[in-house]
Amino acid sequence: MNLIIGISGASGALYGKSFLKHLVTHQPGASALIISDAALKVYNQEYGTKITSREEYLEQVLEQTGNTVHSFTLYHPSDYAARPASGSARYDAMVIVPCSMKTLAGIRHGLASSLMERAADVCLKEKRPLILVPRETPFNEFQLENMHALSRAGVVIAPASPGFYQHPRNLEDLGRFMTGRIFNLLKIEHSLFQPWEGLS
Ligand SMILES: Cc1cc2nc3c(=O)[nH]c(=O)nc-3n(C[C@H](O)[C@H](O)[C@H](O)COP(=O)(O)O)c2cc1C
């Protein structure tokens, strides 16, 4: 499976980290990875780190992962000539996790003002699956409208709102839950959480 993965500057760096960590051990393939400047800032804020490059981010995020079956090619968000900018490059789907309101608005309005937005634009025109994991609270009217318009255009809006009926014990469990839900959408086999079997 070849994905385009966007990590943008919404809060919830752990969701992006969890997705990459589990993808690398669950699903063979090679994905394009686009990390915004704001995503690095938010990661540093939330993990108390001082990461300055995308390479360093990837190294930290993937440290201590087991058997790696998936690789990543890093692309700078201003590299408009990169492979994910063209519909002629074949990818199976795109996921932005977490997705900021800014990037979400840019996709809705077709701005293509970064490689991440351009790649999402391409996914839409090529009718490829596009999954956005937004994080904000509360939402303003424009943000709700943007999500509604994107959903009508076939985009999956999968908010970063993990369920608590699985009794998460720590932040890692919250990440596993969201990653599992994205894996379900991508049809990637996993055992990141027990599927709900009903109460009776
Ligand atoms: C610590 C921190 C937390 C943030 N949390 C959010 C958030 O939860 N949702 C959001 O849409 N933007 C959030 N922002 C603002 C975005 O980072 C900002 O709009 C940025 O321009 C997004 O750029 P990007 O979409 O290119 O990553 C946050 C910023 C910081 C510094």
Side-chain angles (χ1 to χ4, degrees):
M1 178 175 277
N2 293 350
L3 302 173
I4 301 173
I5 301 162
I7 312 278
S8 75
S11 183
L14 90 93
Y15 297 119
K17 182 174 181 168
S18 173
F19 182 70
L20 295 178
K21 259 181 66 176
H22 292 295
L23 187 67
V24 97
T25 53
H26 276 76
Q27 179 64 38
S31 292
L33 179 59
I34 309 164
I35 303 164
S36 75
D37 289 344
L40 291 180
K41 264 195 193 131
V42 172
Y43 186 92
N44 281 333
Q45 164 66 23
E46 296 186 347
Y47 282 97
T49 50
K50 289 195 168 88
I51 286 173
T52 53
S53 72
R54 288 163 177 81
E55 289 75 13
E56 224 183 313
Y57 167 96
L58 194 55
E59 217 170 275
Q60 275 221 3
V61 160
L62 298 183
E63 79 179 354
Q64 289 170 358
T65 41
N67 187 23
T68 57
V69 293
H70 204 101
S71 63
F72 301 100
T73 303
L74 277 168
Y75 292 102
H76 195 276
S78 66
D79 186 0
Y80 300 104
R83 198 168 171 264
S86 171
S88 64
R90 300 289 292 273
Y91 291 99
D92 299 304
M94 177 168 182
V95 180
I96 303 184
V97 55
C99 184
S100 75
M101 292 297 106
K102 176 201 153 212
T103 288
L104 187 141
I107 297 167
R108 187 266 156 106
H109 292 286
L111 301 185
S113 65
S114 67
L115 179 63
M116 204 183 304
E117 287 177 15
R118 167 65 188 164
D121 223 27
V122 169
C123 266
L124 282 171
K125 82 182 175 69
E126 299 295 332
K127 308 289 181 210
R128 293 180 190 145
L130 174 59
I131 300 166
L132 305 183
V133 183
R135 214 271 3 151
E136 187 52 282
T137 193
F139 291 120
N140 69 36
E141 202 169 328
F142 302 121
Q143 294 163 343
L144 289 166
E145 272 177 16
N146 287 340
M147 286 188 275
H148 189 204
L150 286 164
S151 175
R152 281 198 312 255
V155 176
V156 176
I157 305 290
S161 51
F164 288 84
Y165 52 89
Q166 304 266 0
H167 306 295
R169 291 152 304 171
N170 47 38
L171 294 178
E172 175 69 16
D173 281 355
L174 298 180
R176 288 167 70 88
F177 183 89
M178 276 314 301
T179 296
R181 297 309 289 258
I182 303 168
F183 278 10
N184 286 354
L185 291 164
L186 292 168
K187 301 189 174 29
I188 295 175
E189 289 297 325
H190 69 89
S191 53
L192 293 170
F193 55 76
Q194 286 296 316
W196 181 247
E197 301 290 356
L199 282 174
S200 51

